[in-house]
Amino acid sequence: MSEKITGIMGAMPEEINGVVALLVNRQEVTIGGRTYFTGTINDIKTVVVFSRWGKVAAATTVSTLILTFNITQLLFTGVAGAISHQLKIGDIVIAKRLVQHDMDARPLMPQFEIPLLGKTYFDCDAYLLTIAQNAVNNLLQNKHLHATIDSAALEAFDITVPKLVVGDIASGDQFISGSSSKNNILQQLPAVVCVEMEGAAVAQVCFEYDIPFVIVRTISDTADEQSHIDFRLFINTISSRYAVEIIKNIYSQF
Ligand code: ADE
């Protein structure tokens, strides 16, 4: 069996920096404007990279991870805006499936279907999903996140008992910051629980190259008129800790 090489991607430097710090024997190489950090975590070969924002940025970055670094599995951690009204800031979502909410080649094909692939939804890998689920449950049950995050920051966002939801994630090249766009997504894709800008692009590339992947997102905002304010504050104070703790816990199960 070929050696396991894990790729870790994130769309925010604040989150990726903490994960880069976990790498042993760290080296870095820059390709196409991205810095890829290589090394090991728990003796597993790992490549960590900040993808930048949006579907194209994410697709080109994951392609490099696959073709140049030969990764055999991919973990993506980042933040998302809540679409489901059941989700609060600080909750964690693991994608069951991913869909591109801005893909629309009608009338040539059905709305949301990826042209020439005949697919609308991409499934996360069942094994990685279970491991990520265990990791997040461990963190939430042991109140581990509370122990590692400043209590004033948790209070500022009213984060008391964060929960885990496994559900559909929609991605598109749009920061959703208004109730009408939010409700539009909810109406057209009722199973979608949160929205971000990279996951479904990463999922499409991984599907095409047959690379198992999982996407884990922490809710940073509620994708409405308040979202740009909550988003910035959340990134600065909280989300970097979430990413590091989730990754450490996932690796403890590999
Ligand atoms: N990532 C985090 N919050 C988001 C939002 N509201 N829209 C798109 N991507 C996001």
Side-chain angles (χ1 to χ4, degrees):
M1 208 178 116
S2 66
E3 185 184 22
K4 181 156 44 181
I5 305 177
T6 305
I8 302 178
M9 275 175 78
M12 298 301 297
E14 291 84 348
E15 296 179 324
I16 281 307
N17 292 345
V19 180
V20 167
L22 300 176
L23 286 170
V24 174
N25 293 329
R26 187 171 71 224
Q27 299 199 321
E28 59 180 81
V29 48
T30 300
I31 302 171
R34 311 284 189 279
T35 306
Y36 295 82
F37 296 91
T38 61
T40 59
I41 302 177
N42 291 1
D43 292 328
I44 295 169
K45 277 195 180 174
T46 301
V47 190
V48 185
V49 60
F50 158 49
S51 67
R52 301 190 186 172
W53 294 9
K55 301 204 311 296
V56 173
T60 159
T61 307
V62 71
S63 300
T64 304
L65 282 174
I66 294 168
L67 296 172
T68 304
F69 294 94
N70 302 314
I71 62 160
T72 58
Q73 57 182 9
L74 182 89
L75 314 175
F76 191 112
T77 66
V79 292
I83 292 293
S84 158
H85 297 293
Q86 312 304 319
L87 282 173
K88 287 185 65 187
I89 292 177
D91 289 344
I92 299 176
V93 175
I94 303 175
K96 185 166 167 34
R97 301 184 303 175
L98 294 113
V99 55
Q100 297 178 20
H101 68 76
D102 54 357
M103 176 57 75
D104 190 354
R106 288 178 298 175
L108 304 175
M109 340 216 143
Q111 190 178 12
F112 310 122
E113 184 175 303
I114 307 297
L116 310 186
L117 212 53
K119 263 179 93 68
T120 299
Y121 293 97
F122 298 96
D123 293 323
C124 280
D125 177 71
Y127 167 72
L128 291 177
L129 196 151
T130 303
I131 286 191
Q133 227 172 326
N134 292 341
V136 173
N137 279 329
N138 286 339
L139 294 176
L140 297 182
Q141 278 157 15
N142 300 332
K143 292 195 174 293
H144 192 79
L145 288 171
H146 281 67
T148 56
I149 296 172
D150 180 41
S151 57
L154 292 170
E155 246 171 65
F157 283 106
D158 190 26
I159 299 175
T160 49
V161 194
K163 61 181 173 300
L164 166 65
V165 168
V166 178
D168 288 359
I169 295 183
S171 315
D173 288 322
Q174 248 182 326
F175 184 79
I176 305 296
S177 58
S179 306
S180 71
S181 323
K182 171 174 173 160
N183 289 333
N184 204 21
I185 293 175
L186 195 53
Q187 202 187 1
Q188 293 185 315
L189 296 163
V192 162
V193 296
C194 68
V195 69
E196 36 84 315
M197 300 174 69
E198 298 82 21
V202 169
Q204 181 179 340
V205 175
C206 285
F207 171 79
E208 290 178 337
Y209 283 96
D210 200 18
I211 298 292
F213 69 92
V214 68
I215 312 272
V216 185
R217 295 279 186 172
T218 304
I219 299 301
S220 56
D221 59 84
T222 43
D224 53 16
E225 287 68 15
Q226 174 75 15
S227 64
H228 60 291
I229 302 166
D230 290 338
F231 175 80
R232 285 184 202 289
L233 194 61
F234 190 86
I235 296 294
N236 291 337
T237 55
I238 298 190
S239 69
S240 49
R241 292 306 318 166
Y242 267 73
V244 172
E245 296 307 321
I246 291 168
I247 293 292
K248 281 203 304 206
N249 215 290
I250 288 178
Y251 269 76
S252 72
Q253 296 172 69
F254 278 159

